[in-house]
Amino acid sequence: MFEIIKCPDLGNKILREVIWKVTVSQVITEKILLCVLVVDDEDYGLLTQILNQKLYTTKKIEIHTSVIGAIEKLNTIEEIMKSNELCTINISDKNHNCDHEIEYGGMCVKCGRELEDINLPFKLPCGVSGRNLKFTENLAAKIEENKKAQLINSQKLILVLDLDHTLIHTFQGKSQAPGIHNFLIDGNDYSTKLRPHLETFLESMRQMYEMCVYTMGSHNYANQIVHIVDPEQKYFASRVISKDDSENKSVKNLKLLLPFDDSMAVILDDTYEVWPNCENLILAERFLYFAEISEFDKKFCGENDCYLLFISELLKRLHNRFYSDGVNDVKQILKDLRLEVLQGINIVLSGVISEIPPSNNFYWQSASKFGAVCSNDIVESTTHVVAKNMGTKKTKAALEKNIPVVQLLWLHLSISFWYKLPEDYFKFENISNFDIRAIVNVIKIRRNSLENSEAQKIPKFTTSESESDSDSESDAVASD
């Protein structure tokens, strides 16, 4: 249904101009100024009588309406003078569902209507082109397809990076220690330490990935950290997602970036709970700097952290398989790479398992996901006994059978780094002299000695620095 808004009777007035205050498709929800009519009105005053000729004065007439609907048509002066009709309003639906394609902050960017609490086509975010920007499903699909085409053309994938405990460690307070970045939020002091090798990591990743930050912190906090990490905006540009951008404040959702197809996105985050059932996730080893850690843990934590060196090589292999091997789904590639880490390894855990059945144990499940076969007892195929301490029945039996016995840290770091570390460094007789730098150097030498065909299987470390990272071991205690 349509309602015609008539032009008021102008009498002897001459219509000179119509100044419209609305636009076609604009939705009217309350009394509104439609237009201003500029007219010439005949003057019958004394001067007119003396001169004996018609004189005119210019007047403005405001036209308001309370009709609810959408502007269908705005008439020209010629049309108004001919039909005496100003405009046509579509009132077929008094609540009028805005069907435009883009909204920003709950408002249609075309007609300006606030879209809260009305029926309208479902809109969803797509990418990080702007906070609170949403699109209709069809437009979002087109945007995503264009993004995928751009990525393929540039031979890139999407890398979603968490901030806290993944790239940085922040605490509330002010630290004067060297290498610490201090900043203020709402008058409160904060101190941030960047994870070692972060700039090297980002610089190498920018060649293969379009990187974006996704944090559970506020947008203000995220912007402060990104300014520290990427002051020239060469890694993230404006691609920053915070908890302020999501309706659900307790979990992260890849659909904010890619609502339909996540096959080209990989995530690096230290908290798996915020990514429920997400196969795109690489679970990062937590970076801890402002925390009390043991002297032994300092050998691979804090300043001696080189987790990003290992993960950068993992991400390089992932990228290579996507574009060189024709496996066009990050999720499948991650599954394959995960299973290769401990492939051919048969593990017996000692002093670690308290769960019944043993297969419910975290390390049992983790080792299995990374390609190992776990057994409760030593069998002929056992290749490793992984223990928290020596002196158990299983560790004694393993030594009698010349089966390597390694500290639990070997399994923990091999899983965290997605790389089977050399066992000798983790044997109990060597563990007190543990030095992650030596391990990295051995890997570098081994990697450089391989043929190109074998080079794909073992990461190549391109930095001269060599340190590593671990968070902590499981506190589970068993008596075996």
Side-chain angles (χ1 to χ4, degrees):
M1 293 176 59
F2 299 93
E3 181 159 328
I4 306 298
I5 305 299
K6 295 286 188 178
C7 181
D9 184 8
L10 298 178
N12 293 327
K13 300 178 181 68
I14 301 172
L15 181 61
R16 297 297 186 188
E17 183 182 2
V18 179
I19 303 173
W20 289 106
K21 300 297 183 179
V22 294
T23 59
V24 173
S25 298
Q26 181 175 334
V27 176
I28 300 173
T29 58
E30 57 188 0
K31 186 175 181 179
I32 191 173
L33 175 62
L34 274 179
C35 63
V36 176
L37 304 182
V38 181
V39 299
D40 287 343
D41 193 8
E42 187 172 351
D43 190 340
Y44 293 98
L46 180 61
L47 185 60
T48 300
Q49 298 176 24
I50 293 173
L51 297 176
N52 195 27
Q53 65 183 48
K54 292 183 179 180
L55 296 178
Y56 295 89
T57 57
T58 299
K59 294 183 179 180
K60 293 183 178 181
I61 303 172
E62 293 187 349
I63 305 298
H64 295 79
T65 185
S66 299
V67 175
I68 295 175
I71 300 294
E72 183 74 18
K73 186 177 184 299
L74 302 177
N75 292 335
T76 64
I77 288 181
E78 292 76 13
E79 290 172 328
I80 294 172
M81 295 177 66
K82 182 178 180 179
S83 65
N84 202 38
E85 297 174 354
L86 289 173
C87 64
T88 305
I89 299 178
N90 185 344
I91 60 169
S92 57
D93 182 354
K94 291 292 185 182
N95 293 319
H96 191 78
N97 297 337
C98 169
D99 57 1
H100 299 133
E101 293 183 307
I102 306 173
E103 71 172 75
Y104 180 82
M107 178 181 291
C108 176
V109 300
K110 186 169 184 179
C111 68
R113 182 169 189 190
E114 294 186 5
L115 303 174
E116 187 177 358
D117 298 329
I118 67 169
N119 295 322
L120 72 164
F122 175 71
K123 292 186 178 69
L124 65 166
C126 181
V128 284
S129 53
R131 291 184 62 204
N132 301 315
L133 196 60
K134 294 183 178 181
F135 311 91
T136 58
E137 188 169 344
N138 288 339
L139 182 56
K142 292 177 183 177
I143 293 172
E144 184 174 302
E145 285 301 315
N146 289 338
K147 167 56 66 178
K148 288 168 61 179
Q150 292 172 6
L151 290 170
I152 292 171
N153 186 56
S154 61
Q155 296 281 285
K156 286 187 176 183
L157 298 172
I158 292 176
L159 176 57
V160 180
L161 294 167
D162 174 51
L163 289 178
D164 291 282
H165 298 297
T166 300
L167 302 185
I168 54 104
H169 187 190
T170 297
F171 87 101
Q172 187 172 346
K174 192 168 185 177
S175 171
Q176 301 297 336
I180 303 300
H181 299 268
N182 297 300
F183 58 94
L184 286 170
I185 294 181
D186 298 329
N188 298 313
D189 286 305
Y190 289 86
S191 297
T192 290
K193 173 67 175 178
L194 306 186
R195 193 166 203 159
H197 313 291
L198 177 57
E199 186 172 359
T200 300
F201 170 79
L202 294 175
E203 189 62 36
S204 62
M205 291 300 101
R206 70 183 292 212
Q207 311 300 325
M208 296 171 284
Y209 291 88
E210 180 177 284
M211 294 181 286
C212 126
V213 163
Y214 196 159
T215 176
M216 295 300 279
S218 69
H219 207 76
N220 189 5
Y221 171 77
N223 285 336
Q224 292 270 13
I225 298 298
V226 169
H227 180 70
I228 293 170
V229 173
D230 185 20
E232 298 178 7
Q233 293 191 321
K234 62 180 180 178
Y235 302 129
F236 305 117
S238 60
R239 297 184 293 273
V240 179
I241 300 176
S242 72
K243 68 177 181 181
D244 300 331
D245 300 309
S246 176
E247 295 179 0
N248 191 329
K249 308 300 182 183
S250 61
V251 297
K252 298 179 180 180
N253 191 345
L254 201 52
K255 290 188 179 297
L256 287 178
L257 279 169
L258 301 164
F260 304 103
D261 181 6
D262 60 10
S263 63
M264 297 184 73
V266 58
I267 303 160
L268 185 64
D269 197 317
D270 71 289
T271 309
Y272 70 87
E273 291 90 349
V274 300
W275 294 101
N277 304 313
C278 183
E279 297 178 340
N280 306 69
L281 175 66
I282 296 174
L283 185 61
E285 185 75 13
R286 285 174 65 82
F287 173 56
L288 296 172
Y289 184 82
F290 303 106
E292 292 293 331
I293 55 176
S294 68
E295 288 300 315
F296 179 78
D297 288 344
K298 288 179 182 178
K299 294 182 177 183
F300 49 87
C301 290
E303 293 287 0
N304 290 327
D305 180 302
C306 68
Y307 173 77
L308 293 178
L309 296 180
F310 284 89
I311 292 306
S312 66
E313 300 306 322
L314 171 68
L315 290 169
K316 288 175 185 177
R317 284 181 284 157
L318 187 155
H319 178 273
N320 183 67
R321 292 201 182 184
F322 189 96
Y323 282 107
S324 298
D325 294 355
V327 183
N328 296 324
D329 192 336
V330 162
K331 299 185 291 297
Q332 184 59 51
I333 296 172
L334 285 176
K335 287 180 182 178
D336 296 341
L337 289 171
R338 186 183 292 111
L339 289 172
E340 292 171 12
V341 173
L342 298 176
Q343 190 174 32
I345 302 297
N346 290 53
I347 290 176
V348 170
L349 297 169
S350 177
V352 177
I353 297 175
S354 59
E355 292 83 359
I356 299 176
S359 57
N360 288 340
N361 175 263
F362 168 78
Y363 281 105
W364 183 301
Q365 293 179 349
S366 298
S368 300
K369 289 179 181 178
F370 279 79
V373 175
C374 295
S375 304
N376 199 37
D377 299 301
I378 295 175
V379 294
E380 186 175 347
S381 60
T382 300
T383 60
H384 295 69
V385 170
V386 177
K388 288 193 77 171
N389 298 290
M390 290 295 290
T392 65
K393 293 179 181 179
K394 291 177 182 176
T395 59
K396 292 177 180 178
L399 294 177
E400 292 175 359
K401 298 176 180 292
N402 292 320
I403 298 172
V405 178
V406 292
Q407 219 272 350
L408 180 63
L409 184 62
W410 171 80
L411 179 60
H412 179 85
L413 291 184
S414 293
I415 289 172
S416 294
F417 295 164
W418 289 56
Y419 184 89
K420 186 177 79 67
L421 297 171
E423 292 87 343
D424 285 348
Y425 292 91
F426 296 89
K427 291 181 178 179
F428 279 85
E429 59 267 30
N430 300 327
I431 197 69
S432 60
N433 298 318
F434 175 80
D435 187 349
I436 194 65
R437 292 170 295 184
I439 295 176
V440 175
N441 285 333
V442 167
I443 294 172
K444 287 169 61 179
I445 294 171
R446 181 190 300 175
R447 174 61 175 78
N448 291 334
S449 68
L450 294 175
E451 297 290 336
N452 289 335
S453 60
E454 286 292 313
Q456 301 295 332
K457 299 180 182 179
I458 300 180
K460 179 179 180 180
F461 293 87
T462 56
T463 177
S464 59
E465 301 174 85
S466 49
E467 302 152 294
S468 183
D469 168 73
S470 172
D471 187 287
S472 61
E473 299 177 40
S474 170
D475 291 328
V477 177
S479 57
D480 180 37

